[in-house]
Amino acid sequence: MKRNTININLQPVNNQGSGIALFANKLIAELEKSKLYKIFGSFNFVRGVKKKELERFSFPVKYSSVPAKVVYSRLIKKALPFYYHNMMPGESDINLFLTYKIPRVNYSGIVITTIHDLIPLRVATENDKIQTDYRNDIDYAIRHSDYLITISEASKKDILEEFLYNKNKIFVIPNGVDFELYNSEIEQEHLTKVKEKYQLPNKFVVYLGGIRIHKNVDNLIRAYALLSEDIRAEVSLVITQGNEDLKKLTANLNIEEQVFFTPYIDEEDKPAVYKLALAMAFISSYEGFGLPIIEAMAAGTPVITSNVSSMPEVAGDAAVLVDPFEIEETTDALERIIVDADFRKKLIEAGYENAKRYSWTHSGEELVKLCNTILK
């Protein structure tokens, strides 16, 4: 029996530290396991990315000499006069894009594109160009895709509010978490090494993520500053990365001795950082999903997160939900988690169960189910 073919676009897979790259690599791995399809991979030339870097996949990969900056150019309003398969391994039943950028060419076969979120269109951004470019890319994908994937019901709702699209052709495939990786016991010696590597304090609440405006890290710092001096003397706040504005804010609030800024946390160190933390605070104003929520829960770390966007959907009943714009709500949540050991224990137990709902195996099964439905 002839197997259907899927051509997977590999453009996002090497963007280390990116949620989109993680999603793409994990779902590709699950699709490979299924053995139901004949899979090809494709990649347009990008300076600095060598063909050898794409040889880790078990399927054939075509590294096209046509530069990505040409076929992905936002200056192109109508499709270039050739087909995607002309620069790739060949025609496929499905052309799968696990990100929102697709080449501006013609397609034979079905096009599935992934729109993770509409962050630049829903929140303040660092500059207007980000918003303009993002809308350009999303709008093109919307008009040229037969089906869309997104990562939460909240994101699906946002897409339908922002763009005209058939709701029956948008499928939710959530992020997953490697539960065993985050949940496994870590030897004290390794925890100590990670603590020393990032110069972490003895007892702390952590924010682990980026520092773009919508991450609302400034309000987390303000909320921490409202805790009593006794609590702050015992429990510090750790911010991964950080910037000069946030450091100035801590100085203005006279808490610079109690707030620690780390460099980027290496992926392999994240489970240890979560386990070292007393709690994880993630009070973004908007998220397409909020992967740190389930990572922390899998590690056994209580979570404070926002009651807006996708975060209540992802956290379920296993986190303290706060209004991200009401600073005192976050302060109260921090205080309760810090002082109430029984409450922490309940959150940890509920967090384990919630995190188990999100596995990459389940997400892969949903992708296979989508492909099977489309190809009937």
Side-chain angles (χ1 to χ4, degrees):
M1 183 174 125
K2 182 187 173 186
R3 287 189 294 169
N4 291 111
T5 55
I6 298 179
N7 184 28
I8 304 176
N9 177 274
L10 301 178
Q11 224 65 38
V13 299
N14 283 347
N15 297 331
Q16 192 173 6
S18 154
I20 291 177
L22 177 67
F23 184 84
N25 282 293
K26 291 292 187 180
L27 284 193
I28 290 169
E30 293 300 326
L31 203 55
E32 285 182 273
K33 288 180 195 174
S34 75
K35 308 293 184 184
L36 293 174
Y37 308 102
K38 189 173 183 180
I39 299 174
F40 300 97
S42 55
F43 188 92
N44 282 94
F45 170 81
V46 173
R47 190 178 298 279
V49 179
K50 297 178 180 177
K51 186 176 180 180
K52 191 174 182 180
E53 296 176 51
L54 302 169
E55 290 176 355
R56 66 182 186 273
F57 298 104
S58 64
F59 48 80
V61 175
K62 173 66 182 291
Y63 189 103
S64 173
S65 60
V66 180
K69 68 179 182 180
V70 172
V71 293
Y72 286 86
S73 172
R74 297 184 181 102
L75 298 175
I76 301 168
K77 305 304 179 187
K78 292 183 180 179
L80 293 169
F82 60 91
Y83 281 85
Y84 189 54
H85 64 258
N86 293 146
M87 56 183 178
M88 297 310 170
E91 292 188 57
S92 290
D93 298 298
I94 291 176
N95 299 289
L96 177 61
F97 296 89
L98 294 166
T99 182
Y100 60 92
K101 290 183 180 180
I102 67 172
R104 302 193 175 198
V105 296
N106 290 299
Y107 294 90
S108 62
I110 295 161
V111 176
I112 304 175
T113 301
T114 305
I115 300 175
H116 291 250
D117 55 61
L118 297 183
I119 288 172
L121 307 185
R122 290 280 170 158
V123 300
T125 56
E126 288 76 5
N127 62 64
D128 292 339
K129 188 175 186 305
I130 291 174
Q131 187 179 78
T132 301
D133 289 348
Y134 200 77
R135 181 173 289 280
N136 188 319
D137 290 333
I138 298 289
D139 185 63
Y140 192 89
I142 289 277
R143 288 186 286 111
H144 294 84
S145 299
D146 300 291
Y147 297 90
L148 298 178
I149 293 170
T150 193
I151 55 177
S152 65
E153 292 292 342
S155 277
K156 178 176 178 177
K157 180 174 176 286
D158 290 342
I159 292 166
L160 291 170
E161 287 177 356
E162 198 77 33
F163 299 94
L164 287 173
Y165 204 80
N166 183 343
K167 66 178 182 180
N168 297 318
K169 292 191 172 186
I170 305 180
F171 293 82
V172 175
I173 299 178
N175 279 310
V177 64
D178 188 337
F179 187 84
E180 290 186 6
L181 172 67
Y182 285 91
N183 190 249
S184 295
E185 190 172 339
I186 300 175
E187 292 183 3
Q188 186 58 48
E189 184 181 355
H190 182 68
L191 289 174
T192 301
K193 282 183 180 178
V194 171
K195 183 181 174 186
E196 290 173 354
K197 178 178 177 178
Y198 298 103
Q199 298 183 345
L200 298 172
N202 290 327
K203 207 170 180 181
F204 62 92
V205 172
V206 68
Y207 163 73
L208 205 158
I211 53 166
R212 291 168 63 189
I213 293 173
H214 72 278
K215 297 296 185 179
N216 205 31
V217 180
D218 55 342
N219 275 347
L220 174 59
I221 291 171
R222 292 184 181 98
Y224 174 78
L226 293 179
L227 290 168
S228 69
E229 287 185 25
D230 289 345
I231 290 177
R232 285 189 279 109
E234 182 184 359
V235 180
S236 303
L237 177 64
V238 169
I239 306 292
T240 58
Q241 299 179 74
N243 59 25
E244 287 307 310
D245 287 340
L246 294 177
K247 290 173 184 176
K248 285 178 184 175
L249 177 61
T250 64
N252 291 338
L253 294 170
N254 295 315
I255 56 171
E256 65 265 45
E257 297 298 319
Q258 296 147 350
V259 180
F260 292 74
F261 293 92
T262 75
Y264 174 80
I265 302 293
D266 294 329
E267 285 296 314
E268 62 268 24
D269 294 331
K270 284 167 66 175
V273 172
Y274 283 127
K275 286 183 182 294
L276 287 164
L278 188 70
M280 197 278 290
F282 188 81
I283 59 165
S284 295
S285 61
Y286 181 97
E287 291 290 334
F289 187 88
L291 194 54
I293 295 170
I294 55 173
E295 290 176 343
M297 287 179 176
T301 307
V303 172
I304 300 169
T305 192
S306 301
N307 63 3
V308 298
S309 186
S310 64
M311 288 162 281
E313 175 187 338
V314 173
D317 297 324
V320 184
L321 300 180
V322 298
D323 183 329
F325 306 108
E326 294 292 335
I327 293 171
E328 290 184 3
E329 281 192 28
T330 301
T331 304
D332 291 343
L334 287 168
E335 182 173 356
R336 187 176 181 192
I337 279 184
I338 290 168
V339 303
D340 190 337
D342 289 338
F343 182 57
R344 279 202 309 276
K345 186 178 177 182
K346 286 179 183 176
L347 285 176
I348 289 168
E349 291 171 355
Y352 285 144
E353 295 308 310
N354 187 62
K356 288 175 185 175
R357 296 193 299 133
Y358 296 98
S359 72
W360 289 114
T361 298
H362 170 70
S363 298
E365 289 169 351
E366 290 298 304
L367 178 57
V368 170
K369 189 190 299 182
L370 169 58
C371 294
N372 287 345
T373 301
I374 289 170
L375 294 173
K376 274 184 180 175

